Amino acid sequence: MIELQDNRELLEAAVCLCAARDQEFPPDVTDDWFRWPAARTAWQLMAKARASGRALDFADLMVNPDTFPVAADAPEILAMFPRVQDAVRGLRAYVDTDWIADQYQRTLKALQNNPDPRDVMQQLATALDHRLAGQQEGRLITAHEAALALFADIERRVNGQRDKVIGYGWPSWDALTLGMEPGQLILVAARPGIGKTLVGQNLTRLWVRQRIPVLYLSFEMSAERLMARWLAMESGVNSLTIARGKPSDQELSDITHAMGYVAEWPIQVWADSITQDECLSVIRRAARQHGVRVVVIDYAGLIRLTPQYRGENKTQMVGRLAEALKRVAGEAQVPVISLVQLKRAADERDDGIPRLKDLRDSGDWEANADVVWMLAPHTDTDITVVLAKNRDGEANIQLSLRWKKTTNLLWDGSPSATVPVVQDD
């Protein structure tokens, strides 16, 4: 059994194995990235084979005594890293640490010999700029490549192959958006107490009932309280009775029956406080190690943010968070559904319909989100929903959800003809 955490040798092996599996060799990875002789030899052999026009596979690494240690745990290592870039990103942290240590020593020596420290620090800044510029991920894509990729995607959809698309589970939501795709940032926004957590929990229930693995990050409710709500939806027993009351014999029987299959749902729950960096790490790890396909954040306003520089304000920090969640959705290849709060001004509007400008703390939420659902004040049986932004389709549409208050169960309440709403500037 191998250990992933703080294991440079494992990451070096992963880069070699993933490159062989994907036949993708990141150009920024060079021999000096590898300290482990077996991994360095494997990388060099793979580079030579590629230069000669042939592919080096696992069998070649297995039969070579110099590279056998790299391939010994191949199945387990490959399962940890869906893409070679995931392994490269992990190993780069070690390589960068080595580089920084080397630059530190060079700077100390230079300061001893140079009377003008500004000169030395400028050289260090230039070296850092060059280093960061060389680490920009991605590549230029031609119109021809983009057109071919789009046509292949259209063909898959025509043939009914939409493996990567996940429906919300409510027909009116899916009709307007055609479901969710990996890499999307989706917002569910509301004032406190209006129902954004309710929506997040109900959507999660619909997904896990289809055996779609979900990561649910809850910063307000314990895992047990979340489970009580899901059991109420499944059993029909009052959620307050499950959470704090004394169930009757019949209710206990219904709860026990529901518990039998709810306990097997493919859901990972995080129920603790968290920083931005920790949140991103948990998402990446859940996608890589547990095959999570959807992430729900309940809610983004409770993620602990730390200024990156003196004078950075709350709006700027929230903007960084919005950008980071959009980025990690792409890296982990999952849709991220983030629950966010609206400004108090949304309560003061006569029609009660929220606007995009009501998103709290930062306009970066609107800029980075692909889809924005907003909840308006509701009755005891209905919740009004506004599709305020839909990057690939129609927006400013009003829908409704029906609500059973005792069990917190939601279901689609919209007619086939949806109602347009006016968004002011």
Side-chain angles (χ1 to χ4, degrees):
M1 189 69 180
I2 55 179
E3 295 295 332
L4 175 63
Q5 190 172 4
D6 296 330
N7 191 330
R8 179 167 182 159
E9 286 188 1
L10 183 146
L11 289 165
E12 291 184 6
V15 170
C16 295
L17 293 171
C18 291
R21 176 194 64 195
D22 303 341
Q23 286 302 297
E24 179 183 345
F25 295 84
D28 52 335
V29 179
T30 55
D31 292 356
D32 58 3
W33 278 44
F34 301 92
R35 283 186 176 179
W36 186 21
R40 185 183 301 113
T41 301
W43 188 259
Q44 291 170 342
L45 290 175
M46 291 165 66
K48 289 179 181 177
R50 187 164 178 260
S52 65
R54 70 183 186 91
L56 201 69
D57 59 22
F58 301 136
D60 296 314
L61 298 179
M62 289 289 288
V63 298
N64 187 329
D66 293 330
T67 59
F68 171 77
V70 171
D73 293 307
E76 190 172 358
I77 292 175
L78 289 171
M80 296 178 180
F81 299 93
R83 303 178 308 154
V84 65
Q85 285 295 346
D86 298 321
V88 168
R89 192 175 293 109
L91 181 56
R92 177 178 282 131
Y94 286 95
V95 176
D96 285 350
T97 299
D98 293 342
W99 182 84
I100 290 170
D102 179 63
Q103 291 298 315
Y104 175 71
Q105 293 298 329
R106 289 170 181 261
T107 301
L108 285 179
K109 290 180 181 179
L111 286 171
Q112 292 172 357
N113 301 322
N114 193 324
D116 187 355
R118 291 173 296 180
D119 232 10
V120 177
M121 298 314 294
Q122 182 59 50
Q123 293 174 14
L124 178 61
T126 301
L128 182 59
D129 284 342
H130 289 165
R131 179 83 179 183
L132 292 175
Q135 290 186 8
Q136 296 297 317
E137 294 187 11
R139 64 184 183 89
L140 297 175
I141 298 174
T142 66
H144 180 72
E145 290 174 314
L148 287 178
L150 175 59
F151 188 74
D153 184 50
I154 292 172
E155 278 193 319
R156 283 194 295 271
R157 282 182 268 132
V158 169
N159 295 326
Q161 299 173 3
R162 301 184 75 224
D163 296 340
K164 294 183 178 180
V165 176
I166 298 173
Y168 288 97
W170 291 322
S172 62
W173 289 39
D174 288 325
L176 287 167
T177 63
L178 299 183
M180 308 177 299
E181 292 188 345
Q184 285 190 322
L185 175 61
I186 298 161
L187 304 184
V188 177
R191 288 291 296 152
I194 297 301
K196 55 184 180 292
T197 293
L198 199 61
V199 169
Q201 292 170 347
N202 273 268
L203 287 172
T204 297
R205 169 182 172 267
L206 294 174
W207 294 321
V208 295
R209 290 177 106 223
Q210 300 174 61
R211 310 306 298 172
I212 297 172
V214 176
L215 169 64
Y216 196 100
L217 296 106
S218 172
F219 312 132
E220 290 185 302
M221 290 189 182
S222 66
E224 293 81 4
R225 190 68 178 271
L226 287 170
M227 183 56 65
R229 285 203 172 190
W230 285 318
L231 281 172
M233 297 174 197
E234 291 296 317
S235 67
V237 177
N238 189 301
S239 59
L240 188 60
T241 300
I242 296 177
R244 297 168 53 191
K246 184 178 179 181
S248 67
D249 290 344
Q250 182 57 52
E251 288 173 333
L252 187 58
S253 175
D254 294 339
I255 293 169
T256 303
H257 174 71
M259 184 82 75
Y261 58 88
V262 171
E264 300 303 317
W265 279 354
I267 184 168
Q268 306 286 325
V269 174
W270 178 283
D272 202 351
S273 62
I274 202 168
T275 65
Q276 176 177 315
D277 288 344
E278 289 169 342
C279 180
L280 302 179
S281 177
V282 168
I283 292 172
R284 293 188 187 102
R285 189 169 69 245
R288 184 177 64 241
Q289 297 182 357
H290 301 288
V292 159
R293 294 183 60 200
V294 184
V295 175
V296 179
I297 298 175
D298 183 11
Y299 75 100
L302 294 179
I303 296 175
R304 300 202 312 273
L305 305 177
T306 305
Q308 281 195 341
Y309 56 86
R310 184 178 298 177
E312 186 179 30
N313 60 36
K314 179 71 177 294
T315 297
Q316 291 166 325
M317 288 189 286
V318 172
R320 260 195 306 111
L321 174 62
E323 293 171 0
L325 291 179
K326 174 62 177 175
R327 186 171 60 251
V328 79
E331 292 172 358
Q333 281 297 283
V334 296
V336 172
I337 294 84
S338 181
L339 313 187
V340 298
Q341 196 158 302
L342 296 177
K343 298 175 184 175
R344 192 180 301 276
D347 291 336
E348 300 168 356
R349 197 169 287 110
D350 291 339
D351 62 6
I353 302 299
R355 313 292 201 258
L356 282 173
K357 67 181 182 180
D358 295 330
L359 288 168
R360 189 169 179 177
D361 293 322
S362 176
D364 290 284
W365 281 125
E366 178 185 349
N368 285 280
D370 297 281
V371 177
V372 180
W373 302 97
M374 291 184 159
L375 311 182
H378 52 74
T379 68
D380 284 348
T381 58
D382 294 271
I383 295 178
T384 298
V385 182
V386 176
L387 176 55
K389 179 180 179 181
N390 183 12
R391 197 183 295 277
D392 296 321
E394 191 177 6
N396 297 338
I397 298 295
Q398 183 174 316
L399 310 168
S400 68
L401 293 170
R402 300 303 303 276
W403 178 33
K404 187 175 182 180
K405 191 173 183 179
T406 56
T407 62
N408 292 310
L409 185 64
L410 298 177
W411 63 95
D412 198 342
S414 293
S416 56
T418 52
V419 181
V421 297
V422 177
Q423 293 276 351
D424 55 10
D425 296 329

